[in-house]
Amino acid sequence: MAARRTRGMTGPDVSRSTVARAASIAEQLRYECSILLELFREKESFTADVLVDGRLVSVTPPSSQLDTRDKLWRLHSALMQCRSLLERAIAREEEELGGGKKGDYETQRKMVKDRLSYLLICTGELLKTAGGAALLTPSLEGLELDGPTALFELKLWVYRIFKEVDYWTKTAITTLDALPSVIAKERVRTSRVRTTRSTRR
C-alpha cells in the first residue's frame, strides 16, 4: 500500500466550488505538463514516441466499487508520490546535469512543481471534506527516487517522471469531473438508507 490513511465517519459532502477549483488547477497542470514534456524532448533530442514502460507510482487499482473518499484518497496519494518523484528528478538534474543558466525549461519545470503542489492542497481539502483521511503518510518504499547513474538512463528516468505526472494529472481531471454525479448518487443512496431505517422504526 502506497500510503496509510485515517478515515473519518462523515458523509460525502464535498464542496462543489472546491471540486471546480481543483479541476481548474488540474487542467492548467495538464497544459503545463505538455509544454514541459515538449521542452524536455527538444532539450534532449527525444522523439515523441520514446517508450516509457510501466507506472512509477504505486496505489490501489481503480475500481467502480470505490466510493468518493476512496477515489480521492487514491488520487491524492498518487499525486503526493508524483511530487516526491518530481522533486527528486529536479535535484538529480541539478546534481548530474548541472544547474547552469535558467531558461524556459527550468522555468516550466518549476511551474509544474508549484502547480502540482496547489493541486495537492485542493485534493487534500476535498479528502477531508469527504470524511477521508485527515492525514496521509506516504510511503516512498518502492519508488525509484535515486534513479540510474548512466547519463542516458538518467535522462530517460526524468522523462518517465514527467510522463507520470502528466498521466496522474489527466487521471485527476477524469476523477474530479466525475465527482459531482458520484456525490449526487451517494447522497440519494444515503437518503434511501435513512428513509428505510426510519420506516422500520
Side-chain angles (χ1 to χ4, degrees), residues 69-83:
R69 287 176 297 188
D70 290 329
K71 287 176 181 177
L72 286 170
W73 176 81
R74 178 177 181 271
L75 174 62
H76 190 67
S77 176
L79 293 174
M80 288 186 79
Q81 292 178 63
C82 281
R83 185 173 64 179

Side-chain angles (χ1 to χ4, degrees), residues 41 45-53 152 156 159-160 163:
R41 285 193 292 263
S45 299
F46 278 19
T47 58
D49 59 353
V50 171
L51 294 176
V52 287
D53 298 326
F152 177 76
L156 192 60
Y159 184 66
R160 284 185 68 195
K163 292 285 284 185

